Amino acid sequence: EFDRMEASSLEKNVEFPVTARELSQLSQDRTLQALVHTLEDVTQEETPLLKSQEETTSAILERFQELQANAPYPEHSKEQEEWDRISQDAAHALATVVLHSSLENGIPQSSVEARKSQFGSNGIAAKPLDSFLKLCWEALQDFVLCMLLVLGVISIIVETTIGLPDGEPCGTCWLEGAAILVSVGIVVLVTAGIDYGKQFAFIRLSKSLQGTNTKIVIRDGVQTNVTDEDIVVGDILLVNSHNQASIPADCVLVQGIDLKLNESSLTGESKLISKHPGDVVLSGTTVAQGGSAKLVVISVGINSVAGKIQAQVYESQDYVDTLGNTSEDSPLFVKLDLLAKQIGMAGTIAAAISFGVCCLIGFVFKGEPAERLVYYLMVSITVLAVAVPEGLPLAVTLALAFSSNQMMKEQNLVKHLDACETMGCATTICTDKTGTLTANKMTTRALYAGSTNYLVQDPAMHLGGYIKQEGISSELLELIAQLISICTMDETVLYLNDQGQVERSSGNPTEVALLQLVHDVDFDYEKIRESTKGRAQSGPLASHLSEGKQFGFSSARKMMSWAVLREGGGYRVYCKGAQEVIVARCTMVVSETLETSELTNEKREEWSDTALAYSRRGMRCLGLAYRDVPKDFDLDSLSAEVQNSDGTEAYEAETELVAVGLVGIEDPLRPEVPDAIAKCYTAGIDVRLVTGDNPNTAVSIASQAGILQPFHFVDPEGEKVATNLKKNVMMEGKTFRDKVYRMDEDNELEFDQTSFDRIWPHLRVLARSSPDDKLTLAHGLNQSNLYADAGACKRLLKRCNIKIFPDRQVVAMTGDGTNDAPALKRADIGFAMGLTGTQIAKDAADIILLDDNFASIVTAAKWGRNVYTSIQKFLQFQLTVNFSAVVTALTGSFAYQTSPLAAIQLLWVNLLMDSLASLALASEPPVEELLQGPPVNRTSPMITLQMWANIIGQALYQIIVVMLLLFHGPEWFDITPGDVIEDESFGHSSVHYTIIFNSFVWMQLFNEVNCRKLNGEFNVFKGLLNNPLFCGILFVTSVLQIIIVQFGSFAFHVSDGGLSLKYWGVCLGFGALSLIVQQIINALFAAGEHYLPWRMKKRLKRNYSLSRRSINGLSECDYSIPIKDD
């Protein structure tokens, strides 16, 4: 009847008797009642139905009404079976009567556009891009840029109006102010341009990923691959568990058996959900188990459940955060804002002092005319211009941009530039398991055969190589290879490259793992199949294929078998399946030499214990067995004694088996993960595993990865299972929620930070967790002020040997599902999975892992710390320049009421040269030593004691040189003092002041090399040649300085004709002495460290211990130790 209805529906071009809104409501309700009501509404519409359609639909409604009153019914009852039939018929009617589709022929290709017009397309309007002007405005909010903007405007006004001598043309008097404004414009445009480009990079990534998301639908009777965006309402979607297909739209299951879906990306529930015909299947979920199924699409795009969530996110531009999330600047920008304000205040004070002293000396002691007031104001503005670090905003932008571009090459797509630096301050990483720590590929990791347990502990070694290394007998290995090769489905395939290595695979993931084992032990599964009668499908033995028999896998039997012909006559039945089923049916066991013996109770117990050990390690355990039967054996006969798990009779051929072995299969740890996590602990970064898996699987992976150390277990030598862990080291999601939430006065749940603070220092694994648990964990860690409770920290250290980081936690969180988005937003840095992550998760994240690999997170941490040190290097360089330049300008204003360094010269030093220096220092590649210290505190100053020593020491040296040249230079070199020449002739420059300017610049250039090191390293040239950009910029800057001095003349306020070689030698000599001065500073500081106060020594010791947390680790909490603060 339905077949006839399908044909009739497709022949007539009728309107759809349902709206997109009504189908969307069905997705929301997800009940059989909602499905039946949809059909009922259709029968009441004015849209005419065929008589057969109306009769069949009415029959479904009548049967439903009869059974609904007493529902639900006991499982396996006649009423329940009738209820299931109604559900299947209702789904079938929905597809044919309502959506004019056909299970066999699908929809006509010609109707696709009409369906898009009525029900919408399967795409969500992209999140609106921030406009370039908006990004420019956001970049302009920087405090230093605002200060420079005001300073530039004031400078132009003063220079072109009241500051211009009577009768003198302006010429280039506006140049200084204009250059300041240009510098602001450059920084704003560069910052906005980088952020704007990142948006398009993310779009390109999304489109490339979407292009690979294809599904199989039926159109015009042909199975067709279409992209997710091309799927329309009414399409018949074909899915199976072999490719773990994700559902691209809301659907209703019409046909399929034993279908189970993973809905954790939407609901947060990690348990697989069984689906039966008539059930709604939500978009964003994944087929995890079961055979092939047919679904009819009912809601797409904005009307689907996932689409509504995404649209809501984009509309609000944020996620609803019930935990009180408040956005805040990254630790770096908080410190830079504070530093900029302090520098601005100091510069304003210095300018005010300069103005006051100039006025005092000029008007009181020298009797200067009142017109000189404007000149004194210009001098004070010059002092302020020198004090403000013009190059700092550009240095920050360039450092972040350079790091983000390099991180892109190392599989980190940075969406927000400040996320680079924030990751460098991370103290905790909360990571997923599947695909992040593990390879997301089922792999054999253990084999029990011939009374020997082959268990691979090293993540970098595969099982095949391990068992060959351990010396398994060739006879037993060949039997295992034959059993696996023959007893696997044809759909499971390994694809080899020209070198004979596995390049990719398809089919059932478990069988792929088994066939990979066969390949690793140097057997060819295809050759084994083709050389076996009853299994070969091509070649000379293909004619015997019908003589073999396949016993297919089903959830009722939990095993599969394949009977093939033996050389000596009869059949050999190879079996594989759930170990409890296989072992229970075995009566004999095979040895290393292929001799069989009775499977005694003692041996059976040994097999069971091994299987249990595999299971406790989180592995899936399969049993391998065979049976030889005579030629006249009836392969279809059923056993009267042995039953399948569902109570049906088992095949006689699958009883009285000979046990061959057990295989442990798991999603293995990525080989690079243990080293990456070890680096995290060395760097003072805690790693916590947050997964939906069961506790034993989570603990197994965490132990292999190094997240859990032996001291986390009650018995360090015992099994690495959940029951062996100390208190609160591992928690399940439900227990975690019960402990950190409490009922408030209104009888509503509220987060309890105090209870959370009792748990998180111990917590390393959160199992069976939901995305909401991730959000709670991120929020609790971020808001914890446990570090401020000295008594609690002392108790944790004394009793549990747990060291609390002395500042607020900076949390990095990984996620891939739609429901992970709030946690990714709440964390300081959100990492989304580029390969397996949903679009909403990627939109919510700060950084996208293009390879879904945990090691890439460690790379991000290294580059983040490199950003921080790069900016520290530039600050060390910039503040040295500013300090010495301000003192020089002030001294000049005190002595001569003018600065020996002209404004345009200072602008070259502070803007152009410093901008090039910022690029040079920002391009310093990261070194592994960056991950050997603790994270930087949120509240610790950016300028360390060693940096202050370097800044003050170099600045004092530069000031001394400039002062000596200023006051004794004319006498030493027999030249006219610069103030005399400039007083006598407007616009002329002296050799005296040119020498001062040139020496000053060369001291900065040589000090730029010193500034590559922050911690008193004596070899300042180490790694210099590894950074060609730094060398190139240093060379270019030097050449530009030579050109300016020799040919700059009036434009740069230098002597006509430049300097002679004698003076060049003097300038370069003073510059090179900066290298020697740095060695003296380092030696003095190192000697002074031995006399630091005891508190400083204690802090250094604490920092060292924080960067080596994993060495001592978490010992058993000893509450018998008395603590004074108790």
Side-chain angles (χ1 to χ4, degrees):
E1 177 65 18
F2 273 118
D3 291 340
R4 189 168 61 83
M5 289 168 56
E6 291 170 355
S8 300
S9 297
L10 295 176
E11 286 172 4
K12 298 190 64 175
N13 185 19
V14 295
E15 295 182 1
F16 298 100
V18 68
T19 65
R21 184 175 181 180
E22 290 169 340
L23 291 173
S24 179
Q25 188 60 45
L26 174 58
S27 296
Q28 293 285 350
D29 295 340
R30 300 195 290 278
T31 63
L32 176 58
Q33 288 85 343
L35 176 55
V36 172
H37 288 158
T38 301
L39 295 177
E40 188 176 12
D41 291 341
V42 169
T43 60
Q44 297 173 359
E45 292 285 337
E46 295 182 359
T47 304
L49 298 177
L50 297 175
K51 183 178 181 181
S52 58
Q53 294 176 336
E54 188 172 355
E55 290 176 353
T56 306
T57 306
S58 298
I60 294 172
L61 297 177
E62 290 175 6
R63 288 156 58 202
F64 174 76
Q65 294 296 338
E66 293 173 0
L67 291 174
Q68 184 184 22
N70 297 319
Y73 297 101
E75 192 175 358
H76 302 307
S77 65
K78 292 183 178 180
E79 291 83 359
Q80 181 61 40
E81 292 178 0
E82 177 64 17
W83 185 269
D84 292 340
R85 278 195 295 270
I86 293 175
S87 179
Q88 183 168 7
D89 290 347
H92 212 150
L94 176 71
T96 57
V97 177
V98 179
L99 300 177
H100 307 321
S101 188
S102 165
L103 290 187
E104 298 303 323
N105 298 319
I107 62 172
Q109 182 67 38
S110 58
S111 71
V112 169
E113 291 304 321
R115 292 172 186 272
K116 285 184 178 181
S117 177
Q118 178 156 347
F119 300 110
S121 60
N122 194 31
I124 305 296
K127 184 178 180 180
L129 296 181
D130 291 332
S131 68
F132 186 76
L133 291 178
K134 180 183 178 182
L135 293 174
C136 289
W137 175 253
E138 290 177 354
L140 199 55
Q141 305 308 305
D142 183 84
F143 178 78
V144 176
L145 291 180
C146 292
M147 192 160 49
L148 287 172
L149 198 63
V150 173
L151 185 60
V153 172
I154 292 176
S155 178
I156 291 176
I157 294 174
V158 171
E159 291 282 1
T160 56
T161 55
I162 58 178
L164 196 65
D166 293 337
E168 293 289 342
C170 176
T172 58
C173 64
W174 50 269
L175 185 61
E176 179 183 348
I180 293 176
L181 294 181
V182 168
S183 71
V184 173
I186 291 173
V187 173
V188 169
L189 291 175
V190 169
T191 304
I194 292 172
D195 285 340
Y196 198 64
K198 289 295 176 185
Q199 293 183 117
F200 286 101
F202 178 58
I203 290 175
R204 287 194 297 271
L205 172 69
S206 299
K207 287 184 176 179
S208 66
L209 293 174
Q210 288 170 3
T212 62
N213 293 333
T214 61
K215 301 295 180 293
I216 300 176
V217 299
I218 303 176
R219 291 181 180 174
D220 292 326
V222 178
Q223 293 187 12
T224 307
N225 276 300
V226 297
T227 63
D228 289 355
E229 289 187 349
D230 290 333
I231 289 174
V232 296
V233 170
D235 261 326
I236 300 299
L237 182 66
L238 303 181
V239 298
N240 60 68
S241 61
H242 292 173
N243 55 11
Q244 294 188 328
S246 61
I247 306 301
D250 292 346
C251 306
V252 170
L253 178 60
V254 183
Q255 190 179 90
I257 301 175
D258 295 329
L259 193 68
K260 291 187 177 182
L261 280 92
N262 182 349
E263 296 186 346
S264 60
S265 64
L266 269 182
T267 65
E269 176 58 58
S270 58
K271 182 180 178 182
L272 297 183
I273 306 300
S274 296
K275 293 293 181 180
H276 306 282
D279 289 344
V280 173
V281 179
L282 297 177
S283 53
T285 59
T286 305
V287 179
Q289 291 183 17
S292 60
K294 291 183 177 181
L295 303 92
V296 60
V297 177
I298 60 172
S299 291
V300 295
I302 190 69
N303 299 307
S304 67
V305 171
K308 288 178 180 178
I309 296 174
Q310 188 173 356
Q312 184 179 3
V313 169
Y314 290 167
E315 180 181 0
S316 65
Q317 298 294 305
D318 207 346
Y319 290 83
V320 176
D321 188 351
T322 57
L323 292 173
N325 179 24
T326 55
S327 60
E328 57 182 25
D329 289 333
S330 71
L332 172 67
F333 283 93
V334 171
K335 294 178 182 181
L336 286 178
D337 281 345
L338 177 62
L339 183 63
K341 291 175 183 177
Q342 293 172 341
I343 293 174
M345 183 63 68
T348 303
I349 293 172
I353 292 174
S354 172
F355 182 72
V357 172
C358 284
C359 290
L360 180 65
I361 294 176
F363 295 146
V364 176
F365 295 102
K366 291 188 176 182
E368 298 278 359
E371 290 80 5
R372 294 286 290 180
L373 182 66
V374 175
Y375 185 75
Y376 298 155
L377 178 62
M378 293 168 57
V379 171
S380 64
I381 289 176
T382 300
V383 172
L384 180 59
V386 170
V388 176
E390 290 95 335
L392 181 57
L394 186 59
V396 174
T397 299
L398 291 175
L400 292 173
F402 177 78
S403 295
S404 67
N405 287 333
Q406 294 300 312
M407 287 169 68
M408 180 74 171
K409 299 176 183 177
E410 300 193 38
Q411 306 302 315
N412 284 265
L413 173 60
V414 180
K415 292 176 57 186
H416 308 112
L417 285 181
D418 58 356
C420 298
E421 177 275 329
T422 307
M423 188 58 208
C425 300
T427 59
T428 293
I429 299 174
C430 300
T431 177
D432 286 328
K433 178 185 77 73
T434 303
T436 307
L437 296 181
T438 64
N440 198 19
K441 178 184 178 183
M442 298 304 292
T443 307
T444 53
R445 301 296 293 167
L447 172 69
Y448 179 75
S451 301
T452 304
N453 189 13
Y454 304 94
L455 180 62
V456 184
Q457 302 286 357
D458 184 359
M461 176 172 280
H462 56 73
L463 178 61
Y466 179 74
I467 60 179
K468 287 192 296 183
Q469 175 183 300
E470 293 297 309
I472 190 173
S473 72
S474 58
E475 297 90 345
L476 183 57
L477 196 58
E478 183 178 1
L479 174 60
I480 294 172
Q482 287 176 339
L483 193 155
I484 292 173
S485 300
I486 292 170
C487 195
T488 44
M489 296 186 295
D490 294 329
E491 292 82 358
T492 305
V493 182
L494 301 183
Y495 299 95
L496 308 182
N497 58 21
D498 295 337
Q499 289 74 40
Q501 298 173 331
V502 177
E503 194 172 48
R504 60 188 180 90
S505 60
S506 64
N508 183 284
T510 300
E511 292 193 341
V512 167
L514 293 173
L515 292 181
Q516 179 74 58
L517 173 61
V518 172
H519 178 270
D520 291 341
V521 295
D522 303 327
F523 285 92
D524 188 332
Y525 74 93
E526 291 181 322
K527 288 183 179 179
I528 291 176
R529 289 178 182 176
E530 298 308 316
S531 62
T532 304
K533 291 181 180 180
R535 187 65 178 88
Q537 293 185 334
S538 61
L541 300 181
S543 59
H544 297 280
L545 179 61
S546 60
E547 299 177 40
K549 179 177 175 60
Q550 178 187 5
F551 301 85
F553 176 86
S554 72
S555 58
R557 299 173 59 248
K558 294 186 178 179
M559 63 181 296
M560 75 167 290
S561 305
W562 207 302
V564 296
L565 278 69
R566 299 178 63 202
E567 289 295 332
Y571 296 95
R572 171 163 286 186
V573 183
Y574 290 110
C575 307
K576 79 175 195 305
Q579 63 82 20
E580 65 274 14
V581 174
I582 296 293
V583 175
R585 298 187 183 188
C586 289
T587 57
M588 306 289 286
V589 62
V590 71
S591 68
E592 286 263 356
T593 59
L594 301 189
E595 295 179 355
T596 58
S597 59
E598 182 184 356
L599 184 61
T600 62
N601 290 336
E602 183 180 350
K603 291 181 179 179
R604 192 180 297 275
E605 185 176 347
E606 185 178 340
W607 279 62
S608 297
D609 290 343
T610 304
L612 179 61
Y614 289 176
S615 177
R616 286 162 71 89
R617 286 177 59 92
M619 287 189 280
R620 181 183 178 189
C621 186
L622 296 181
L624 305 178
Y626 72 90
R627 178 182 180 181
D628 291 332
V629 296
K631 185 175 181 179
D632 57 353
F633 187 88
D634 184 4
L635 295 177
D636 292 321
S637 62
L638 301 177
S639 172
E641 298 176 358
V642 182
Q643 293 181 333
N644 294 316
S645 58
D646 65 345
T648 59
E649 294 177 333
Y651 287 108
E652 185 69 34
E654 294 179 330
T655 63
E656 300 181 13
L657 303 176
V658 179
V660 175
L662 299 174
V663 181
I665 300 177
E666 68 177 359
D667 183 7
L669 199 69
R670 290 178 182 264
E672 62 271 24
V673 164
D675 287 341
I677 288 179
K679 288 181 181 179
C680 286
Y681 282 130
T682 301
I685 304 173
D686 282 333
V687 182
R688 292 176 169 85
L689 174 60
V690 185
T691 177
D693 280 310
N694 66 70
N696 281 333
T697 300
V699 170
S700 174
I701 290 296
S703 301
Q704 295 176 54
I707 296 174
L708 293 177
Q709 298 289 328
F711 48 74
H712 289 119
F713 294 89
V714 176
D715 179 9
E717 302 299 326
E719 272 193 292
K720 301 299 186 287
V721 293
T723 53
N724 190 25
L725 284 171
K726 296 175 183 177
K727 184 180 179 181
N728 289 339
V729 174
M730 190 282 300
M731 298 183 75
E732 293 189 37
K734 185 179 184 305
T735 305
F736 174 72
R737 292 189 293 272
D738 291 342
K739 288 193 174 185
V740 302
Y741 280 95
R742 65 185 177 192
M743 303 300 293
D744 62 10
E745 297 177 353
D746 297 328
N747 204 32
E748 294 183 358
L749 284 176
E750 69 173 0
F751 178 69
D752 186 353
Q753 185 69 52
T754 303
S755 298
F756 181 87
D757 286 344
R758 295 193 191 102
I759 293 171
W760 75 260
H762 308 269
L763 186 66
R764 286 297 175 271
V765 177
L766 189 59
R768 288 198 175 116
S769 62
S770 69
D772 286 341
D773 294 332
K774 282 187 175 182
L775 176 61
T776 301
L777 185 62
H779 173 80
L781 287 170
N782 187 270
Q783 294 300 306
S784 177
N785 290 318
L786 181 62
Y787 69 93
D789 187 342
C793 293
K794 185 182 292 185
R795 287 191 290 275
L796 285 167
L797 180 60
K798 292 289 185 181
R799 292 174 172 173
C800 307
N801 200 24
I802 297 177
K803 303 175 182 68
I804 302 299
F805 187 75
D807 208 334
R808 275 179 54 201
Q809 297 286 310
V810 178
V811 185
M813 178 73 70
T814 69
D816 56 6
T818 299
N819 267 15
D820 289 332
L824 295 176
K825 292 286 284 186
R826 184 64 187 88
D828 295 282
I829 318 101
F831 285 90
M833 303 297 110
L835 298 177
T836 60
T838 64
Q839 186 64 38
I840 301 179
K842 294 173 189 174
D843 289 338
D846 302 295
I847 299 175
I848 297 174
L849 297 179
L850 301 180
D851 59 355
D852 292 9
N853 194 339
F854 182 86
S856 297
I857 301 177
V858 181
T859 299
K862 182 171 67 176
W863 275 102
R865 293 190 180 190
N866 192 61
V867 168
Y868 192 86
T869 56
S870 294
I871 294 172
Q872 281 185 308
K873 292 173 184 178
F874 177 75
L875 274 175
Q876 182 172 275
F877 175 79
Q878 174 84 69
L879 293 182
T880 301
V881 176
N882 286 20
F883 188 27
S884 56
V886 166
V887 173
T888 300
L890 281 173
T891 303
S893 66
F894 295 164
Y896 307 114
Q897 290 76 60
T898 186
S899 172
L901 297 176
I904 189 65
Q905 294 173 347
L906 289 172
L907 190 64
W908 157 244
V909 172
N910 263 8
L911 178 60
L912 298 179
M913 197 179 78
D914 287 358
S915 298
L916 291 172
S918 68
L919 179 57
L921 294 171
S923 63
E924 284 285 300
V927 293
E928 290 299 323
E929 287 79 5
L930 290 172
L931 294 177
Q932 295 179 0
V936 179
N937 292 13
R938 287 178 183 261
T939 54
S940 64
M942 285 201 72
I943 305 174
T944 64
L945 282 178
Q946 176 73 59
M947 290 173 63
W948 275 121
N950 296 341
I951 292 169
I952 294 172
Q954 288 289 346
L956 285 176
Y957 165 69
Q958 293 173 13
I959 291 168
I960 290 171
V961 169
V962 170
M963 293 301 104
L964 289 174
L965 290 174
L966 179 63
F967 296 108
H968 298 285
E971 178 184 346
W972 290 348
F973 304 122
D974 193 22
I975 53 178
T976 306
D979 62 303
V980 175
I981 291 179
E982 297 198 0
D983 281 344
E984 291 178 352
S985 57
F986 177 78
H988 289 278
S989 302
S990 65
V991 172
H992 180 205
Y993 282 176
T994 303
I995 293 173
I996 293 175
F997 166 62
N998 199 28
S999 298
F1000 185 81
V1001 169
W1002 283 104
M1003 285 188 289
Q1004 311 312 325
L1005 288 175
F1006 280 96
N1007 189 44
E1008 192 174 332
V1009 178
N1010 292 326
C1011 289
R1012 295 179 59 253
K1013 305 297 179 182
L1014 297 173
N1015 301 312
E1017 295 91 338
F1018 284 92
N1019 185 4
V1020 295
F1021 296 102
K1022 182 180 179 181
L1024 181 64
L1025 297 180
N1026 295 333
N1027 188 0
L1029 185 59
F1030 181 93
C1031 298
I1033 290 174
L1034 194 63
F1035 174 76
V1036 169
T1037 312
S1038 302
V1039 171
L1040 288 175
Q1041 176 63 18
I1042 294 172
I1043 293 173
I1044 287 172
V1045 171
Q1046 294 302 113
F1047 307 104
S1049 188
F1050 176 78
F1052 277 89
H1053 207 75
V1054 293
S1055 174
D1056 290 337
L1059 297 177
S1060 65
L1061 287 176
K1062 178 180 74 172
Y1063 297 139
W1064 269 105
V1066 171
C1067 297
L1068 289 172
F1070 281 128
L1073 277 175
S1074 295
L1075 299 174
I1076 299 175
V1077 169
Q1078 185 61 49
Q1079 301 302 310
I1080 296 172
I1081 294 171
N1082 292 342
L1084 292 175
F1085 189 84
E1089 277 190 316
H1090 296 292
Y1091 302 98
L1092 286 175
W1094 68 273
R1095 289 179 64 87
M1096 181 57 64
K1097 289 185 178 180
K1098 184 177 179 181
R1099 184 182 67 82
L1100 294 174
K1101 183 179 179 181
R1102 178 200 66 196
N1103 282 353
Y1104 180 81
S1105 67
L1106 283 171
S1107 66
R1108 296 293 189 274
R1109 278 188 253 196
S1110 63
I1111 295 177
N1112 296 323
L1114 175 68
S1115 62
E1116 180 69 48
C1117 293
D1118 186 357
Y1119 291 97
S1120 66
I1121 299 176
I1123 305 293
K1124 182 178 180 181
D1125 295 88
D1126 279 354

